[in-house]
Amino acid sequence: MPVPFIDLSRLVRELRDEVLPAWTDCLDRCEFVGGPRVAALERELATALGVPRVVSCANGTDALIVGLQALGVRPGAKVALPNLTFWATYEAIVQVGAIPVLVDVDPADLQMSFDAFVSAHRAHGFTAATLVHLYGWASARLADFRAYCIESGVALLEDGAQSFGVDVDGAPVLAGATIGTTSFYPAKVVGGAMDGGAITVQSEEHEVLLRSLCNHGRAQHYSYARVGWNSRMSGLQAAFLSAVVRRLPAILASRRHAAAFYRKRLGGHANIEIFAPPAGVLENGYLASLAVRGKGGQEVVDALKARGIGATRTYPETMDAQAPAKGVAILHGDLSVSRRVTASIVNLPLFHGITDDECEEAAAALLDIAS
Ligand SMILES: Cc1ncc(COP(=O)(O)O)c(C=O)c1O
């Protein structure tokens, strides 16, 4: 039985009867950009993410760009980020004219290493950082990152594109972020019907600034306080996302069940290293990530695909390996952990509605390859 890496149609089928009348209503009211459905979604997102305020925008990359600007990152500033993340985390720093400082990851949780972060701060004196909650969980040292940044005056942005629904010590991961971001790219845990994103904030001041930044730097109609961006959400997208957010408990249950299935089935095998969230972190089941000892990640993915199993590699290369980073980014240390992880990482099929039979098919193929 072939198993897709992702099948969005299972969620779409569940939402269809709820979304279509809402979309018809949006069309009838011409609610194309902004409007009451976008405002309602922002309130629903704030509740789900455990924060007082949320500002929606056009995608998760814009959310990072405006998030950095709201934190006061200016051209020429140095901004730390993990060497293992999605390229948008890097891109956003360069788009605001800042200089990326690449920091290695911790082999235990695959998130930015706190020790390397502190040593990079001493060596390079960055004034801001983007911490990424990658792979559907978060750093074991999250509290240390936040405390260190407050003590040392480092402005901390938290990229939560992959962490919607993650809890840390019983609270949503972005609840403690000064400014956090998320992405509604359709493949995400809360995925939209088109690109979308949001920024979480604690203060009214940040909310006002971010609303302005996302709307051409507007102060009032046709008067501008700053140079901003056009990064706004459609009512159609908000209607779809509200339906997804209403299903969040079921989505998380399905994804966590599949992640636990893989961990139980593959965890004891001598040749398989299956990655897991640190203690105190409840994953959202965004990805099932593992490595097969003695085999390269691409070799394993090719072998899975030959057996009809969809698989991918998040991510096959680090930030410092990308051509536009050469001679631009500051590299802290040898970055050997992130390079090693990218050489071997493999992601198995995992999506809302995946069945135990499909997980078993994927796990059996992986066991065959690893033996
Ligand atoms: C960690 C991370 N940051 C940022 C983004 C960018 O989000 P978007 O694709 O919505 O621009 C993504 C997802 O694509 C991501 O996984």
Side-chain angles (χ1 to χ4, degrees):
M1 171 178 62
V3 183
F5 176 69
I6 187 164
D7 180 2
L8 296 179
S9 73
R10 298 191 199 183
L11 179 62
V12 171
R13 274 202 297 277
E14 287 180 25
L15 303 177
R16 195 185 166 83
D17 290 347
E18 198 177 329
V19 169
L20 287 180
W23 276 358
T24 303
D25 191 53
C26 274
L27 293 177
D28 290 345
R29 293 170 191 268
C30 297
E31 254 184 66
F32 297 131
V33 177
R37 285 177 196 278
V38 174
L41 174 71
E42 288 177 344
R43 290 191 295 274
E44 290 153 14
L45 291 170
T47 303
L49 293 165
V51 294
R53 299 147 204 280
V54 166
V55 177
S56 59
C57 65
N59 56 67
T61 309
D62 284 1
L64 290 167
I65 292 172
V66 293
L68 288 169
Q69 290 189 316
L71 285 170
V73 176
R74 298 284 171 260
K78 290 179 191 160
V79 182
L81 78 159
N83 196 34
L84 176 56
T85 179
F86 181 59
W87 179 240
T89 317
Y90 179 97
E91 230 174 6
I93 293 167
V94 176
Q95 289 288 15
V96 300
I99 302 160
V101 179
L102 294 170
V103 177
D104 212 354
V105 300
D106 189 321
D109 60 17
L110 308 186
Q111 314 291 303
M112 184 151 66
S113 156
F114 179 68
D115 294 338
F117 178 77
V118 172
S119 103
H121 186 231
R122 289 188 184 133
H124 307 291
F126 47 77
T127 52
T130 308
L131 179 62
V132 186
H133 307 313
L134 205 67
Y135 293 128
W137 60 76
S139 169
R141 308 289 300 273
L142 178 55
D144 292 331
F145 275 107
R146 287 176 178 159
Y148 182 87
C149 286
I150 289 169
E151 277 161 27
S152 45
V154 172
L156 184 64
L157 181 68
E158 299 191 26
D159 179 348
Q162 302 189 6
S163 69
F164 206 113
V166 170
D167 284 349
V168 177
D169 296 329
V173 60
L174 292 183
T178 306
I179 298 189
T181 67
T182 195
S183 159
F184 303 122
Y185 180 72
K188 299 297 185 204
V189 169
V190 172
M194 57 193 92
D195 276 314
I199 311 107
T200 67
V201 294
Q202 306 290 343
S203 72
E204 189 183 344
E205 191 190 340
H206 275 151
E207 180 186 351
V208 170
L209 175 54
L210 282 158
R211 288 202 186 283
S212 168
L213 280 169
C214 290
N215 196 11
H216 298 290
R218 172 171 160 161
Q220 285 156 25
H221 204 36
Y222 295 137
S223 117
Y224 304 94
R226 56 189 58 79
V227 173
W229 310 84
N230 174 1
S231 189
R232 302 175 299 212
M233 185 177 279
S234 161
L236 294 155
Q237 166 78 322
F240 185 92
L241 282 168
S242 284
V244 178
V245 171
R246 278 195 282 281
R247 264 168 198 73
L248 188 59
I251 292 169
L252 291 172
S254 170
R255 286 181 167 276
R256 285 173 181 151
H257 175 80
F261 184 104
Y262 284 135
R263 218 165 273 130
K264 190 165 172 215
R265 187 76 171 86
L266 303 170
H269 195 286
N271 294 344
I272 298 173
E273 185 182 4
I274 184 147
F275 302 111
V281 179
L282 177 61
E283 69 186 324
N284 62 6
Y286 178 57
L287 287 173
S289 303
L290 54 88
V292 176
R293 293 191 177 90
K295 288 195 195 290
Q298 199 50 48
E299 186 187 348
V300 176
V301 165
D302 291 345
L304 283 164
K305 285 187 176 163
R307 288 165 172 79
I309 307 298
T312 190
R313 306 191 56 230
T314 306
Y315 293 99
E317 286 180 335
T318 50
M319 296 300 96
D320 72 296
Q322 308 308 316
K326 308 273 183 214
V328 173
I330 295 170
L331 279 48
H332 181 68
D334 66 7
L335 303 172
S336 60
V337 180
S338 46
R339 288 180 185 154
R340 203 169 65 232
V341 173
T342 54
S344 62
I345 195 144
V346 172
N347 306 111
L348 291 180
L350 210 171
F351 49 89
H352 172 67
I354 192 170
T355 65
D356 282 2
D357 286 349
E358 287 171 321
C359 291
E360 174 54 32
E361 197 82 13
L366 201 268
L367 285 167
D368 185 38
I369 293 160
S371 300

